[in-house]
Amino acid sequence: MNITKEQIDELNAVVKVAVTKDDYQDKVESILKDYRKQANIPGFRKGQVPMGLIKKQYGKAVLVDEVNKLLQDNLNKYLTEEKLDVLGNPLPKQRDNFNWDAEDFEFEFELGLAPSFEVDLKSKKAITEYKIVADDKMINEQVERIQKQYGTLTSKAEVSKKDEVVGVFKNEEEEIENKATLEISTLKSKKATDALVGSKVGDVITINTKGLFSEDQELASALGIQAEKAEKLAIDVTFTIEEINEREPAKLDQDLFDKLFGKDVVSSEEELKAKIKEDSEQQFAQQADQKLLNDITENFIDTTKFDLPTDFLKKWIKLTGEKVLTDEEATEEFEKSEKGLRYQLIEGKIITENKLQVQFDELKEFSKGFIKSQMAQFGQMNPAEEELENIAGRVLSNQDEVKRLSEQLMSQKLLTLYKEKANLKTKEVTYENFVKEVYG
């Protein structure tokens, strides 16, 4: 077998594979002999069918199959040995006059080659790295939420502005019937608030949904409907009152602190606020890191210029999916995936040039940390090392989980690299301002 490459330009090449009879004959003959041993053909005893008949019936199919296997194996080997960095897969060139009755064959494959380019980790324009802080306002609000959550309920006869009201929302036309709890003080609608205040258990109040809450999601939850529907809903609903409760906030004492964080971890209001600040800022750091990673990614895509074998990639997309696409469909699919492909090439180059690798021991420790944080959410603050080892072992026996965790760990390594080498400027903001600035 002889394989040669013809370079069309920097991004395109054609590989020619010449297959002779000597390359496939022995294998084809061996398979046909096995077929002969097993063949059941009327008029012949098993194993005694003439080889000429076997070749006539199965010869071409076996030949085609074996030649294709040879092509696949040797083409992949050639690409590896020649260190050809290809995009997509080699595309066989169609030939109308191809003759499988010949003894020697020649095949041609189109290649799309990865471009050569440089990545500058230090951009000319500084990229913002957000440091999100928990301010006093946020911490105090969190303390109030905790006191409410762990507070005690006292039943009341009549609704006031500081009460919680349990009742059922109904609207037959929209098929709404949902039990919900309303905090009167959080309602946005003054008209609804005025209608509810002074009401008693059993009263049925008519309320308009428009402007009832500050957020559409709150309305969706109260009515038991999809958020998309809540966005444009402006109808009258009835609210039948079933319970009226006043919530007495929990005292900031040791009993509450121990419920929240475990025995004696926190012992004063000041320590409680410090712990809330620490935990909140750890969560904020993850959001800030994701924002930084997204911004750096966009910057690389915008500033790292290189050409792609566009025509080849469109053709590859057109021919290699579940169904053959039209030229227009293939162009549309290419345009959707081009940005991702560009960053995939950029990221791969950064990983290679900076020798970033995910070792199994690192992955194991990373997965144990991930498991530990998940267990903490369910109150298991100090799992035994043996338990973590066992769970990590089960997780890492799943190849999909290994792939997912490996990608997360590599993202972490890339982020560390960017923080060391990228041109960054730190901006300290409250979470409220971060949300406004980043998400509008």
Side-chain angles (χ1 to χ4, degrees):
M1 182 175 294
N2 184 41
I3 303 179
T4 57
K5 177 170 71 77
E6 178 187 347
Q7 195 76 29
I8 306 301
D9 55 39
E10 288 186 357
L11 299 174
N12 295 275
V14 173
V15 168
K16 296 181 179 181
V17 184
V19 180
T20 66
K21 187 176 181 180
D22 290 340
D23 295 320
Y24 62 80
Q25 186 175 25
D26 290 347
K27 184 67 176 174
V28 169
E29 291 289 341
S30 174
I31 292 172
L32 290 175
K33 285 177 183 176
D34 289 339
Y35 274 36
R36 185 181 183 228
K37 292 175 186 176
Q38 302 300 323
N40 284 311
I41 295 178
F44 300 96
R45 290 191 316 180
K46 186 175 181 178
Q48 299 299 313
V49 180
M51 181 56 81
L53 188 57
I54 294 293
K55 286 184 177 180
K56 183 178 180 180
Q57 191 160 347
Y58 302 109
K60 185 171 289 187
V62 172
L63 168 69
V64 171
D65 190 44
E66 286 308 308
V67 169
N68 280 325
K69 286 180 184 177
L70 273 173
L71 278 173
Q72 190 66 48
D73 292 345
N74 285 278
L75 186 56
N76 288 339
K77 184 179 176 184
Y78 175 81
L79 297 177
T80 302
E81 289 176 349
E82 295 296 314
K83 297 179 180 177
L84 293 176
D85 192 1
V86 299
L87 301 179
N89 293 313
L91 281 178
K93 293 185 76 171
Q94 302 299 320
R95 287 167 55 186
D96 296 333
N97 59 347
F98 192 84
N99 181 17
W100 280 106
D101 292 324
E103 293 187 341
D104 298 336
F105 311 102
E106 184 172 279
F107 303 88
E108 294 185 354
F109 295 87
E110 297 176 64
L111 303 183
L113 304 177
S116 177
F117 58 92
E118 298 298 324
V119 180
D120 187 0
L121 291 178
K122 194 174 285 292
S123 58
K124 291 179 182 178
K125 184 180 178 182
I127 298 169
T128 301
E129 179 182 9
Y130 289 95
K131 181 183 179 184
I132 309 172
V133 295
D135 60 352
D136 291 342
K137 177 176 177 282
M138 180 180 191
I139 294 169
N140 290 333
E141 287 174 351
Q142 180 66 9
V143 171
E144 287 178 14
R145 277 195 291 272
I146 290 170
Q147 288 183 278
K148 272 190 176 183
Q149 182 182 348
Y150 289 88
T152 55
L153 292 176
T154 304
S155 180
K156 290 184 62 181
E158 189 175 290
V159 178
S160 71
K161 285 187 177 181
K162 58 183 180 180
D163 293 336
E164 296 178 11
V165 183
V166 179
V168 177
F169 281 106
K170 280 188 180 179
N171 180 292
E172 290 186 7
E173 188 177 338
E174 295 292 335
E175 298 182 342
I176 292 171
E177 184 171 351
N178 192 59
K179 191 170 183 175
T181 300
L182 300 181
E183 287 186 54
I184 303 300
S185 62
T186 64
L187 294 178
K188 184 181 177 185
S189 169
K190 184 178 183 302
K191 189 174 181 181
T193 301
D194 292 343
L196 285 162
V197 170
S199 300
K200 297 179 177 61
V201 171
D203 286 353
V204 180
I205 313 299
T206 299
I207 299 171
N208 194 277
T209 59
K210 187 174 182 181
L212 184 58
F213 297 97
S214 298
E215 301 289 340
D216 292 330
Q217 187 57 52
E218 293 177 274
L219 180 63
S221 177
L223 300 184
I225 60 176
Q226 296 294 321
E228 296 78 17
K229 184 176 180 180
E231 286 178 18
K232 48 196 173 187
L233 195 66
I235 59 169
D236 284 339
V237 292
T238 60
F239 184 71
T240 304
I241 298 175
E242 295 184 348
E243 294 178 36
I244 304 168
N245 298 304
E246 181 180 353
R247 187 176 290 273
E248 180 70 26
K251 292 180 180 178
L252 297 176
D253 57 17
Q254 194 60 48
D255 183 51
L256 177 61
F257 301 151
D258 289 349
K259 282 180 183 176
L260 292 170
F261 303 108
K263 188 167 177 58
D264 297 331
V265 174
V266 166
S267 57
S268 68
E269 184 177 344
E270 290 72 25
E271 288 183 12
L272 169 65
K273 290 182 176 181
K275 184 75 170 125
I276 290 172
K277 181 178 177 66
E278 178 189 356
D279 291 349
S280 297
E281 289 181 355
Q282 282 181 355
Q283 293 178 20
F284 296 158
Q286 294 176 10
Q287 293 186 53
D289 282 348
Q290 188 58 56
K291 169 64 176 167
L292 178 60
L293 196 58
N294 291 344
D295 288 347
I296 290 175
T297 298
E298 290 295 329
N299 179 71
F300 282 143
I301 293 171
D302 290 341
T303 60
T304 308
K305 304 298 183 184
F306 53 81
D307 292 327
L308 291 170
T310 302
D311 291 341
F312 170 84
L313 289 170
K314 288 179 182 178
K315 186 176 181 181
W316 180 73
I317 290 170
K318 176 181 178 178
L319 298 174
T320 58
E322 291 183 3
K323 63 171 187 175
V324 175
L325 304 179
T326 64
D327 289 341
E328 292 77 15
E329 289 171 333
T331 297
E332 186 178 342
E333 286 300 313
F334 171 75
E335 288 171 354
K336 286 180 186 175
S337 60
E338 181 181 3
K339 198 172 184 180
L341 174 57
R342 286 182 178 278
Y343 183 67
Q344 190 178 346
L345 291 169
I346 293 166
E347 186 184 77
K349 190 171 184 68
I350 292 170
I351 290 170
T352 301
E353 289 184 346
N354 291 278
K355 298 181 173 60
L356 300 182
Q357 294 180 321
V358 172
Q359 305 290 350
F360 182 77
D361 288 344
E362 288 180 302
L363 187 61
K364 189 176 182 182
E365 288 304 311
F366 181 73
S367 67
K368 282 160 67 176
F370 184 74
I371 293 161
K372 194 172 181 179
S373 67
Q374 285 192 317
M375 293 175 77
Q377 293 177 19
F378 296 95
Q380 294 177 263
M381 305 305 294
N382 294 298
E385 181 64 22
E386 183 179 356
E387 185 179 10
L388 287 173
E389 284 279 342
N390 290 337
I391 297 173
R394 290 198 296 273
V395 169
L396 295 177
S397 67
N398 183 317
Q399 289 304 308
D400 289 337
E401 285 297 305
V402 169
K403 182 174 183 292
R404 183 178 67 84
L405 290 168
S406 296
E407 288 172 352
Q408 289 182 4
L409 181 52
M410 182 54 75
S411 289
Q412 198 176 88
K413 285 174 174 280
L414 284 165
L415 187 63
T416 300
L417 176 72
Y418 299 154
K419 286 185 176 183
E420 289 174 1
K421 297 191 175 183
N423 181 14
L424 305 178
K425 60 178 180 182
T426 302
K427 183 173 184 178
E428 189 171 293
V429 291
T430 64
Y431 184 71
E432 184 178 357
N433 287 336
F434 172 77
V435 171
K436 286 179 182 176
E437 192 167 320
V438 172
Y439 303 108

